[in-house]
Amino acid sequence: MNQVTVVVYPPGAYGSFISWMIERFSKHRTGVTDDPLLPDGSSHGYASFCKVKGIDDFMAGLEEARNDTKPWHTNIYAGWPSNPSEDLDSNIKTILDWMMPFDKLIYVDVARADEHILCYLRNEATMNRDRWYGMLGIDSDDQLADRLRIDIESHGLSGINDPRLTWLNIEDILDEHSGVLWHKMCNALGWPMKDNKLYVNVSSEMRRKQQKFYQLLAEGFKSDGTPVQRAAWKYFKDKNNGFN
């Protein structure tokens, strides 16, 4: 039986990087790649954990993570445990009820519109379109704007107080002072971490590879861009009552 670390994050919110960080820098782990980064800026050179599951499927995955016994007796299960028809707070409470006292839950909060759009831009660039649209529950570019609006207007996780739960946000992950994330993860996991210098170097390179997405956000959006750019343009146009 394993201790389970649950990483809850919307697709595109750096969950594969967080999962790599947990495994690579934990002192009890060996054999994890030193460099998870692909040219597109994702950490899919380590693994792609992106998935959106209803709570029943998510809980089944947690059970597999618990019982697929590892020599080091820890395992990670990562993804987003709520489809649009479900309540995220209720689903997180279900996960916490399942967890044992020594388990951990890392929650990546995506709060602002620009952060949601950043995740969408990353998914558009780093994931197979059919796979990503399947997660969103859509099958065409025309549906993307409504799905983006739903995500932006979702309330996220409410203030659940549980010592096994650690909140991260996009700024924690992308902060140029990489010690912020390192410190939070050390506190969250409660076990020794190693090779901080390697972490600093890889996290710096990861942030550098996000610059193209920051640039797209800074430039704003037009109606003749990529599907995500068009969806973002429509979102802001509708929000501003037709003025963009």
Side-chain angles (χ1 to χ4, degrees):
M1 183 176 71
N2 300 310
Q3 179 267 1
V4 178
T5 300
V6 189
V7 182
V8 170
Y9 72 106
Y14 302 93
S16 293
F17 181 80
I18 295 296
S19 299
W20 167 78
M21 181 183 176
I22 292 169
E23 296 220 299
R24 173 57 184 83
F25 300 109
S26 296
K27 279 195 172 180
H28 58 269
R29 280 302 314 271
T30 59
V32 180
T33 180
D34 287 349
D35 183 7
L37 302 177
L38 296 181
D40 60 21
S42 75
S43 296
H44 295 166
Y46 161 65
S48 177
F49 287 104
C50 295
K51 53 183 167 288
V52 176
K53 296 281 189 180
I55 189 61
D56 291 340
D57 288 340
F58 200 88
M59 297 309 296
L62 287 177
E63 287 289 349
E64 290 181 12
R66 173 80 75 206
N67 296 310
D68 179 18
T69 304
K70 305 295 185 184
W72 45 88
H73 297 291
T74 67
N75 210 352
I76 288 178
Y77 191 75
W80 187 247
S82 183
N83 59 48
S85 66
E86 296 180 336
D87 179 69
L88 178 63
D89 286 351
S90 175
N91 288 1
I92 293 295
K93 289 174 182 175
T94 298
I95 293 168
L96 288 167
D97 288 343
W98 172 88
M99 288 168 54
M100 294 186 176
F102 48 76
D103 292 331
K104 309 292 182 182
L105 195 158
I106 311 297
Y107 173 76
V108 181
D109 187 38
V110 179
R112 302 193 311 262
D114 64 314
E115 293 174 342
H116 283 284
I117 295 168
L118 171 65
C119 292
Y120 270 57
L121 289 168
R122 295 189 73 241
N123 291 331
E124 184 176 54
T126 65
M127 269 203 284
N128 172 273
R129 175 186 179 277
D130 290 342
R131 180 189 174 204
W132 180 37
Y133 280 18
M135 293 180 198
L136 296 178
I138 64 175
D139 54 24
S140 73
D141 296 344
D142 293 339
Q143 298 170 295
L144 195 59
D146 283 340
R147 192 61 176 83
L148 174 62
R149 177 187 54 77
I150 290 170
D151 282 346
I152 290 174
E153 294 177 356
S154 64
H155 63 76
L157 184 64
S158 299
I160 296 175
N161 184 21
D162 189 294
R164 299 166 298 176
L165 170 62
T166 297
W167 290 61
L168 299 177
N169 57 45
I170 296 295
E171 291 179 354
D172 292 328
I173 298 167
L174 298 179
D175 194 306
E176 64 181 12
H177 303 292
S178 57
V180 172
L181 181 59
W182 180 269
H183 180 70
K184 282 198 169 188
M185 293 302 294
C186 286
N187 286 341
L189 296 172
W191 58 59
M193 304 281 276
K194 63 184 179 182
D195 297 339
N196 176 262
K197 185 176 180 180
L198 173 65
Y199 164 72
V200 170
N201 291 339
V202 174
S203 62
S204 176
E205 179 64 10
M206 184 273 287
R207 292 193 303 275
R208 187 190 68 79
K209 289 185 174 183
Q210 309 310 306
Q211 291 298 324
K212 57 189 175 184
F213 304 117
Y214 305 155
Q215 184 63 33
L216 288 172
L217 286 171
E219 290 173 354
F221 303 104
K222 298 180 179 179
S223 59
D224 58 352
T226 69
V228 169
Q229 290 172 320
R230 295 197 302 271
W233 174 84
K234 184 178 187 303
Y235 169 77
F236 287 115
K237 180 176 180 290
D238 293 345
K239 183 180 179 183
N240 295 324
N241 297 316
F243 297 96
N244 208 354

